[in-house]
Amino acid sequence: MGHMDHFSAGWVTPVLSYAMACVGSALGLRCTVRALEADGASKRNWLLLASFAIGSGIWTMHFVAMMGFGVEGTPIRYDVPLTVLSLAIAIAVVSAGVFTAGYGSSRVMSVALGGLGTGLGVAAMHYTGMGALNLHGAVDYDPLLVIASVVIAVVAATAALTLTLIVRGPVLAAVAALVMGLAVSSMHYTAMYAVDVSLAPSSAELSGATATEFLFPLAVLLGSFLFLASAYVALSPTGKRDESAVAAELLRDVEGPTAPATATTATA
């Protein structure tokens, strides 16, 4: 069994990867809120941006963290097409969850289904990305830790959407991004501790690219996109619907239908 080191680059990779997850989550969750204030094509565009932000954020987190991953006794290479596919899967599956949260008629059910879709997107990206790993040996997983990693992703993603879309406020929005970033990071390292590597020493050249040849430039590109998109969201005007009206609508969804109030007319 190969000895694995998840922090071969020190604490730089876990801290930076968590920061990227938080930035992507904050941007994506904020875009989802903006979508609730919009209609038509504007609503769709905000949700698309949210999907790209969260999907690219979790992908960047995963592969920045993987730059600190090493196995004693074998070099590591990454299958480029499969790595790109993991990014596409992350965006596609997260998109399903985000659009469900944005267009659902019942806010509570939308948050639940949106959290499920977003959490599964995190897990699907991770394990597809791990499938792109090439080394001299075989990679196996502890099934219980795999299940735990998926549950962590789904529960925390649902909590983040709840804080963002139902319990509203700027402080809670920041907490939601931190929770979502923690979900992605916790899911990643739980899943990595599920890994067992059985070495098969060989002098054959491994196919694929090294982390510095491919992953680092792409991570920098996606990170730049996240920061530029964050600036765009911060500077763009708010939607046409007042946020207090949206909050009242969300509160009605949570509380359910109530009996109509009886109006009284005051007389002088």
Side-chain angles (χ1 to χ4, degrees):
M1 182 179 298
H3 173 70
M4 293 175 291
D5 186 356
H6 299 283
F7 307 103
S8 62
W11 288 99
V12 174
T13 50
V15 170
L16 182 58
S17 63
Y18 175 67
M20 296 309 302
C22 289
V23 170
S25 299
L27 175 59
L29 293 172
R30 182 56 190 161
C31 288
T32 304
V33 171
R34 295 291 290 271
L36 298 179
E37 304 163 5
D39 294 307
S42 179
K43 184 184 188 76
R44 179 202 63 212
N45 292 339
W46 279 118
L47 291 174
L48 284 173
L49 183 56
S51 302
F52 274 90
I54 296 175
S56 58
I58 62 178
W59 187 96
T60 304
M61 177 274 146
H62 171 79
F63 283 105
V64 167
M66 289 301 291
M67 290 178 192
F69 176 70
V71 180
E72 186 177 334
T74 177
I76 293 176
R77 299 291 185 271
Y78 294 89
D79 181 293
V80 174
L82 199 53
T83 302
V84 174
L85 176 62
S86 70
L87 173 60
I89 288 175
I91 294 173
V93 181
V94 167
S95 177
V98 167
F99 272 78
T100 298
Y103 279 104
S105 56
S106 168
R107 191 62 56 199
V108 174
M109 184 59 68
S110 296
V111 165
L113 293 176
L116 176 63
T118 303
L120 291 178
V122 174
M125 179 281 307
H126 176 91
Y127 288 106
T128 303
M130 289 300 294
L133 203 67
N134 290 330
L135 46 74
H136 292 310
V139 177
D140 297 308
Y141 297 93
D142 182 325
L144 291 180
L145 285 176
V146 169
I147 293 171
S149 69
V150 176
V151 170
I152 288 171
V154 171
V155 170
T158 303
L161 283 175
T162 300
L163 288 172
T164 302
L165 302 182
I166 292 182
V167 185
R168 295 169 66 86
V171 174
L172 289 177
V175 172
L178 295 175
V179 169
M180 188 69 178
L182 183 62
V184 178
S185 297
S186 299
M187 184 273 159
H188 172 84
Y189 285 106
T190 301
M192 291 307 295
Y193 278 110
V195 172
D196 286 320
V197 177
S198 301
L199 289 179
S202 173
S203 58
E205 185 72 19
L206 289 169
S207 62
T210 65
T212 53
E213 288 173 343
F214 172 64
L215 297 182
F216 181 73
L218 187 54
V220 169
L221 178 63
L222 291 175
S224 301
F225 159 74
L226 290 175
F227 283 108
L228 289 174
S230 297
Y232 167 77
V233 172
L235 295 174
S236 64
T238 58
K240 64 181 180 180
R241 298 175 61 189
D242 184 77
E243 288 209 10
S244 61
V246 177
E249 177 186 317
L250 297 176
L251 185 60
R252 286 196 299 272
D253 287 334
V254 175
E255 294 179 343
T258 56
T262 302
T264 58
T265 305
T267 57

